[in-house]
Each structure stands twice: as C-alpha cells, then as structure tokens.
Amino acid sequence: MGSPSDLAALGEALGLLHMYSINEKLAERGFRCHSQVGYDLSGVLAYCEDPNALAEFKDACSKMLDPQEISLWKESDLPMGLIHGDLYIDNALFENGKLQMLLDFEQ
C-alpha cells in the first residue's frame, strides 16, 4: 500500500500518459491501440451480437452496460491516449520517495 504522496504521483503519471495519443512516432516504437490487442467496448458489443457468443457473457453485459451510456459513448469524440490498465503501487518504482518508473505495460 502506498502513501498518499505515492498515490498522488501515480495519479499524476497516469494523467500525463492520457495526454499522449498514438501517433506515427509512437507506433514505430511498438505502441498499439487497445483494440489491436484486446477487446474495447466496440469489440465487446460486436461479440454480444455474435450468435455463438456465450449466453452468460451476453447476460452479464446486458446487466452492466446501459444502452443509453453506450449511445453516449458512440456519439462522443473522446481523445485517445495511453493507458496502463492495471496501474497500482506494485507496478511502480520509487526512489527517495519519487516515482521513477511505471512497470507492466504488457500490451
């Protein structure tokens, strides 16, 4: 468990990551859109429409995903930035109380 200042540093780092978009320069370094390596909301919705989709998965999605919120998301023009996905204190290296590195960018 991190101290409040450690958690604040993680939040600041996460905010900085979100400001970067996947551009040509980052793509050359191996950065990819999440939809290329996992399922984003579009992928989940498409899977739920597949006749072979697991009924339990479709049922869980119907309980979690509000159609009105999905509609708002589809209409939005949100910026795309870098995300970590599971950023927590064990995925960060600190030295002398200062954040030095974020770890575990598997995808």
Side-chain angles (χ1 to χ4, degrees):
M1 183 166 180
S3 70
S5 62
D6 291 347
L7 298 177
L10 285 178
E12 184 178 338
L14 194 58
L16 291 171
L17 280 175
H18 288 187
M19 292 175 22
Y20 289 95
S21 61
I22 301 296
N23 57 31
E24 188 175 313
K25 187 174 185 179
L26 288 176
E28 289 172 1
R29 293 178 175 217
F31 287 88
R32 299 169 288 173
C33 291
H34 174 72
S35 59
Q36 293 178 309
V37 294
Y39 289 97
D40 59 5
L41 185 56
S42 295
V44 169
L45 295 173
Y47 177 73
C48 287
E49 296 297 320
D50 186 323
N52 297 318
L54 294 173
E56 294 86 356
F57 184 85
K58 290 170 67 170
D59 184 50
C61 287
S62 70
K63 291 176 183 174
M64 291 187 304
L65 303 174
D66 181 304
Q68 186 176 8
E69 291 177 358
I70 292 171
S71 178
L72 289 171
W73 173 78
K74 286 180 177 181
E75 294 169 8
S76 68
D77 187 22
L78 298 172
M80 295 179 66
L82 296 176
I83 62 169
H84 188 279
D86 69 341
L87 184 60
Y88 58 99
I89 203 70
D90 290 347
N91 285 338
L93 294 180
F94 289 85
E95 185 176 340
N96 297 323
K98 196 167 193 166
L99 179 63
Q100 299 296 315
M101 184 176 296
L102 299 176
L103 307 171
D104 194 19
F105 282 91
E106 293 177 2
Q107 300 179 354

